[in-house]
Each structure stands twice: as structure tokens, then as C-alpha cells.
Amino acid sequence: MNICILNGSPKAGKSTSELLIEYLSAYIGGNETVTFNVCKTHLSEEQFSRIQNSDALVFVFPLYIDGINSRLLRFLIELEKRGFADKSTLVYCIINNGFYEGRQNAAAADIMKNWCKAVGLTYGQTLGAGAGEMLPFLKNIPLGHGPNRNLGIAFRELSRNILSLKCGEDMFVSPNWSRFLWKIASSLKFWYPRAKENGIKRKRLKDRVS
């Protein structure tokens, strides 16, 4: 089986999308799988051909303002122009966002479904993960356990469908961790340090646009 995993993260350093690809690869390993970062790499004709002739395409990317980022959009436009001679390829998506709720990824999933209709491909399934910025801090906790319980269950179903080339219901998961604790942990571990790196004081994070 020819499976192409397409990393749609434009992030310069280590990204949550890369971590999610590692999780997926652990489930579908042993198959003819290749990963391309479509936001950072200029793909060759051979690589485009590999994508166009794959059995399954798995897009893994972060949510950007309830949609997809511009670099991924540019790649989708290019792929649409090139087209697919064989319309049997199934498309799956793993989308993550910084909100607690995985449901926040639904609009981006709809964008990908519309793209599939435009190119004549079948959309397989979505795994939308909430609290994406929290996941790297939980990578030492096995999937299916603790705060990663829901994510592990979703990955098992998604991987089964990919390997059997079946469609499934979209899955939007939040961590098995209270929203209150998530808010505190994400602020202390991510948002406050990120604000400090950019010269922004904590109280500015609570400012509202009038």
C-alpha cells in the first residue's frame, strides 16, 4: 500500500504536526509510507508523482484562524492543477489547534472536503485534536492512557481505516484533562513563556480589542 503523509505545518522548529505524524507512523508502520513537508520543501516531479499515485493521502497540519495556512493552500492549488489520473485515492486529515476543544477543527476539515470534491477524490476521515500546544508536554505518556486516552482511541480507529482504505465519521477529541487545569497549565508552560520571548507582559494577554 502506498501511503503519503503530508506535513502541512509551516513552523520552523519542531511542531505538533511532526509529533502527530510520529504517532500515526507507529500505527501504520510496515507499509510503503513516505512523508513530505509540503510547506518547507520544494517537491520534485518524482515526489509529486508519488503523491498523485498514492492509495491514501494523510494531511497533518495545524489550524490557522479556523482554516488552513497559506503555504498549505498554495500546495493544494498546485496539486489541484496537476490533478489525479486515478480518482481512487482516499484523503484523511489530522488537524490540531491550540484551543481545548477538538471541535474547533471542523471548519478546516470542511475546507479539505471541498478540495477533495474539486479534484474528484474521496474524503476518508478527520481526526481533530484539541489542546495541540499541550501535546508535546505529554509525549512521554503513551497514547490511550491518562490525558492521551481519547487521542489514542481516535488514532487506532483512524489507522484502521487508512490501512483498509475505508471512510469513517469525523472524530474531534479533547484531552482527558479538565479544561480548568488545561487553562492553567497552558498559560504557565506555553502562553506566558511565549509572551515573554516576544516582549509582552502577562497583563497584555488579557487586553481586548475595542
Side-chain angles (χ1 to χ4, degrees), residues 84-150:
F84 290 79
D86 185 355
K87 302 296 184 179
S88 64
T89 300
L90 266 72
V91 175
Y92 304 86
C93 287
I94 302 174
I95 313 170
N96 75 89
N97 69 71
F99 300 97
Y100 179 80
E101 298 81 9
R103 174 65 58 179
Q104 195 75 24
N105 296 301
D110 287 341
I111 292 173
M112 296 303 297
K113 291 174 184 178
N114 288 332
W115 178 80
C116 284
K117 290 180 180 179
V119 297
L121 300 182
T122 300
Y123 192 83
Q125 191 173 29
T126 302
L127 194 171
E133 300 298 348
M134 176 181 176
L135 295 179
F137 296 99
L138 304 176
K139 63 182 180 181
N140 291 327
I141 300 176
L143 289 182
H145 298 273
N148 284 332
R149 182 175 181 275
N150 288 340

Side-chain angles (χ1 to χ4, degrees), residues 38-56:
V38 299
C39 290
K40 300 179 184 177
T41 307
H42 181 70
L43 301 183
S44 66
E45 291 299 320
E46 181 180 355
Q47 290 171 326
F48 267 112
S49 179
R50 177 73 181 270
I51 292 170
Q52 291 170 282
N53 292 283
S54 61
D55 297 309

Side-chain angles (χ1 to χ4, degrees), residues 177-193:
W177 185 280
S178 76
R179 196 178 193 282
F180 174 74
L181 291 177
W182 165 81
K183 186 176 180 180
I184 295 175
S186 61
S187 296
L188 294 176
K189 294 290 186 178
F190 182 79
W191 296 116
Y192 290 162

